[in-house]
């Protein structure tokens, strides 16, 4: 059964992420965490990346144009394995340059070890991202941020 400690860690991390409390998020993530996005969020965005520092820098930069994210956890599925959980949740924010609301749904599979998240595979709808940022929005690894066409 998924451990309550890992459930609580996920909830703490997701809440802090939505509030852009990146120091708290960092304490929840293993330094060498593996991130996976099987469906690319936008052109140029990686489908896999390793490292908490990279993720936090990317979020700090790319989320500057967004209000805080109000995450709502729909369900955390109980698994036989205590070091893994599957969560379904949604986010609600606003893209400041246009005032456009941003709401998306997610399914994530997370692995845990030694009190930290070690792997985070997130399924997110890239069409919603494109609707808010524009169809030609792309990711630049050099700047660590999205670029929306003018």
């Amino acid at each position: 059964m998924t451990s309550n400690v890992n459930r609580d860690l996920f909830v703490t991390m997701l809440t802090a992420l939505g509030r852009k409390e990146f120091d708290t998020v960092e304490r929840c993530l293993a330094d060498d965490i593996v991130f996976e996005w099987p469906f690319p969020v936008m052109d140029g965005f990686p489908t896999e990346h390793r490292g908490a520092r990279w993720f936090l820098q990317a979020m700090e930069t790319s989320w500057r144009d967004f209000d805080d994210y109000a995450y709502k956890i729909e369900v955390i599925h109980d698994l036989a394995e205590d070091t893994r959980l599957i969560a379904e949740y949604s986010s609600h924010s606003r893209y400041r340059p246009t005032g456009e609301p941003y709401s998306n749904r997610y399914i994530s599979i997370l692995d845990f070890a030694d009190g930290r998240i070690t792997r985070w595979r997130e399924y997110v709808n890239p069409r919603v991202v494109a609707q808010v940022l524009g169809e030609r929005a792309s990711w630049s690894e050099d700047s660590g941020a999205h670029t929306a066409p003018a």
Side-chain angles (χ1 to χ4, degrees):
M1 181 182 303
T2 301
S3 81
N4 288 334
V5 170
N6 291 338
R7 285 173 180 265
D8 292 346
L9 180 65
F10 170 69
V11 171
T12 296
M13 184 279 304
L14 194 65
T15 301
L17 183 62
R19 293 178 181 160
K20 302 179 187 178
E21 296 170 355
F22 298 113
D23 290 342
T24 300
V25 175
E26 186 170 24
R27 287 191 295 274
C28 298
L29 306 176
D31 292 340
D32 62 346
I33 184 173
V34 175
F35 293 95
E36 298 174 13
W37 297 273
F39 302 103
V41 177
M42 66 181 71
D43 285 344
F45 197 83
T47 56
E48 184 174 314
H49 211 289
R50 182 178 294 272
R53 181 82 327 244
W54 172 86
F55 175 74
L56 295 167
Q57 288 172 342
M59 294 302 97
E60 285 181 71
T61 302
S62 64
W63 282 12
R64 284 184 188 143
D65 289 337
F66 287 87
D67 288 344
D68 287 358
Y69 279 56
Y71 282 106
K72 179 181 178 200
I73 297 173
E74 307 298 331
V75 64
I76 295 177
H77 296 278
D78 206 14
L79 303 178
E81 198 171 340
D82 67 346
T83 60
R84 175 173 281 176
L85 69 77
I86 297 173
E88 297 180 49
Y89 51 100
S90 59
S91 69
H92 309 280
S93 184
R94 183 178 59 88
Y95 184 54
R96 290 183 194 133
T98 63
E100 181 96 14
Y102 175 81
S103 294
N104 213 330
R105 295 187 63 196
Y106 312 82
I107 297 175
S108 288
I109 303 167
L110 298 105
D111 293 328
F112 301 81
D114 302 321
R116 293 195 170 188
I117 300 167
T118 59
R119 173 176 239 117
W120 184 355
R121 182 180 308 132
E122 184 174 81
Y123 295 84
V124 58
N125 186 344
R127 296 296 311 143
V128 174
V129 175
Q131 288 170 351
V132 172
L133 296 180
E135 293 291 333
R136 295 185 0 229
S138 62
W139 178 264
S140 169
E141 193 63 40
D142 294 335
S143 68
H146 68 272
T147 54

